[in-house]
Amino acid sequence: MQSSPTARYIDVLTLPRVPLTFGSALIGRAAYALVFLPLLYAVTDAAGSIALGGAAVATYGATASFLSPVRAWLIDRFGARPVLALLTVMFGGALAAIATASLVGSVGATLIVLAGVAGAVAPPLGPTMRVAWGALAPSSAQLRKALSLDAVAEELLYLAGPALAGIALAFIAPGLALYVPAALVTVGGLCFVATSAVGDMSRRVRTTDVHTKSRSLLLDRRFVGVLLPALVAGAMSGTLSVAVPASLEGNGGPAAAGVALGLFAGGSALGGLVYGALKVRGSLARQLVVVSAGLLVASSFVAVVSGAVAVSVVLASAGLFFSPVMIVAYVAAHAAGGERQQNAATTWVNTSHNLGGAAGSAAAGVLIQQGGVPTAIIGTAVAGVLIIALSGILARPASTSAKIMK
C-alpha cells in the first residue's frame, strides 16, 4: 500500500464508489442510533412495566454484541452480499414485528423474545463498511482518513440519534417510531449490499479455497494486544456513563449529565477529525498505548473536579482521545485480518469495546455504591493502565502492521 501524505478528507469522499457506498451504509447505520429509546418505551407501554422494557433493551444489546463474531464469521465464510442481505431483511422485519406487536398490546415475554431475535440478526453494516474502506481507499493515508471519517460519522449518529428519537416520541407512539429504524436499515442496508464494494468482498470469498481453515485471530497474541485498548476505551466510556450522572446528581441532575456526556461524544468526533488530519508516525502498537493512556489520564480528572462546568470540560477533553483509540485499532485490524478474516477482525474490535463498556458500567455501579465516584473512576483507570501495559507487550512485535501508518 503506497503512502499518500497529502490525502485530505475531501479526497476520500470523492474517491470512486465512495459516495454511494458510504452514504447508503450511513443510512442503514442510522437505524441503530434510533432503536433504543423507542424499543424501551414501546415495550414499557405495551407491557406496563419499565422493568420489562429494560429487559427487552438488555436482551437486544446482549444478542447483538455476543453474536457479532458469529455474524462476522458467516460473512467471511459465505460472502458479504448474501449474508448481509439476509440479515438486513430479517433485522428490519424483526423491528417491524416489535412495533406491530407493541401497538396491538402483546405480552412482555413476546416482545422480549422479538427484541432478542432483532439483536441476533443485526447486520454488521459498520464493520463491513470499515472492511470496504480497505478496497475503496488505495493508500495508507487515505485509509486512515477514511476510518477517521467513519468513526466521526458514527459518533455523530449516536449523538443525534437519541435526541431525534426523543423528539419523535413526543409526537408519535413508540411503536410507530420503531418503524423508522426498520425502514432506514432495510433501505440503506440493501442499497449498501447492492454496491460493487460489497460485491467484491463476496467475489474474493468465492475465489479463495473455502475449505482452507484460518487460524483464529484470538490465538494471535499480537491481535489480542490490538483488542485490549478497545476494551479499555469501552470500559472507561461505560464507567463514565454511570459515574457522571452520579457525580452531578446534586449539581444539575440529568440535564447536566446529558450535556456533559454529549460533550464527551462531541470531543470524540473532533478528536477523530484531528487525528485523521495528522500524519502520525510510529508503530500501531505504540500509537494505541499513547492514545489509550491519554484517554485514561484525561478521564481520571472526573474523580477530582466538581460541578457541571468542570466535569463537562474534562469530558470534552477526554473525548478527544476516544475516537483515535478506535481508529488505530481498526487500522490494525485491517492489517491483521488479511483477505479471509477482515470482517472478523474489525468485528472483534467492536465486540471488545462493547464488552468493556458492559464491564465498566457494571463495575462502576458497585464501586460507586461502595466508595463513591472517585473510587469508580480511579479503579477503572488503574485497571486500564495494567491492561494497556499488557497490550504494549503483546502487540510490540507486530511488524506486519506497524508500518501501515508511517
Side-chain angles (χ1 to χ4, degrees):
M1 188 174 287
Q2 295 177 341
S3 177
S4 180
T6 59
R8 301 168 300 170
Y9 286 112
I10 190 64
D11 297 328
V12 170
L13 289 173
T14 55
L15 286 170
R17 303 189 293 168
V18 164
L20 177 59
T21 306
F22 189 40
S24 57
L26 284 181
I27 292 172
R29 291 160 70 179
Y32 293 115
L34 295 170
V35 164
F36 287 97
L37 280 179
L39 176 61
L40 173 66
Y41 287 111
V43 177
T44 298
D45 289 355
S49 169
I50 185 66
L52 290 177
V57 172
T59 303
Y60 167 81
T63 54
S65 296
F66 289 110
L67 293 178
S68 58
V70 176
R71 296 190 294 270
W73 177 84
L74 289 171
I75 289 174
D76 285 331
R77 177 67 173 77
F78 298 105
R81 179 165 282 169
V83 176
L84 265 185
L86 179 60
L87 291 175
T88 296
V89 171
M90 292 176 69
F91 183 63
L95 291 182
I98 297 171
T100 303
S102 69
L103 290 171
V104 300
S106 294
V107 296
T110 299
L111 294 168
I112 290 173
V113 169
L114 287 173
V117 171
V121 298
L125 300 178
T128 307
M129 182 63 228
R130 285 185 279 268
V131 173
W133 280 122
L136 295 172
S139 74
S140 58
Q142 287 174 332
L143 175 59
R144 191 179 65 159
K145 278 202 168 42
L147 292 174
S148 300
L149 187 64
D150 192 282
V152 169
E154 190 161 87
E155 289 289 345
L156 294 177
L157 286 178
Y158 280 94
L159 187 60
L164 293 174
I167 294 172
L169 291 174
F171 300 97
I172 61 176
L176 290 176
L178 268 179
Y179 286 118
V180 176
L184 285 174
V185 75
T186 302
V187 173
L190 291 179
C191 287
F192 177 59
V193 166
T195 62
S196 60
V198 175
D200 290 344
M201 295 181 202
S202 296
R203 282 190 286 275
R204 283 199 298 271
V205 169
R206 288 196 297 269
T207 56
T208 306
D209 182 8
V210 296
H211 299 293
T212 301
K213 288 188 177 180
S214 299
R215 183 170 181 261
S216 172
L217 289 168
L218 296 183
L219 297 178
D220 183 346
R221 67 188 184 94
R222 294 172 295 180
F223 182 70
V224 174
V226 168
L227 296 182
L228 293 179
L231 181 77
V232 169
M236 183 53 79
S237 176
T239 298
L240 291 173
S241 69
V242 176
V244 170
S247 174
L248 298 179
E249 186 175 2
N251 199 336
V259 170
L261 292 171
L263 287 172
F264 179 79
S268 178
L270 178 60
L273 284 173
V274 171
Y275 192 82
L278 297 175
K279 187 174 186 289
V280 183
R281 297 188 177 276
S283 70
L284 294 178
R286 185 178 302 169
Q287 290 178 49
L288 279 171
V289 169
V290 171
V291 292
S292 300
L295 173 64
L296 292 176
V297 171
S299 300
S300 295
F301 282 96
V302 173
V304 297
V305 300
S306 60
V309 173
V311 170
S312 295
V313 170
V314 168
L315 287 182
S317 302
L320 294 172
F321 296 93
F322 183 82
S323 276
V325 174
M326 302 306 294
I327 291 165
V328 180
Y330 285 130
V331 174
H334 263 276
E339 280 293 312
R340 290 190 52 78
Q341 294 180 288
Q342 288 275 298
N343 278 281
T346 55
T347 299
W348 273 117
V349 174
N350 268 18
T351 302
S352 297
H353 169 267
N354 292 337
L355 290 176
S361 298
V366 175
L367 292 173
I368 290 172
Q369 181 89 16
Q370 298 298 319
V373 170
T375 300
I377 297 293
I378 298 302
T380 300
V382 170
V385 168
L386 296 176
I387 294 172
I388 292 303
L390 177 60
S391 168
I393 294 171
L394 293 175
R396 185 169 49 196
S399 57
T400 57
S401 62
K403 306 293 186 182
I404 190 171
M405 290 178 65
K406 285 191 175 182

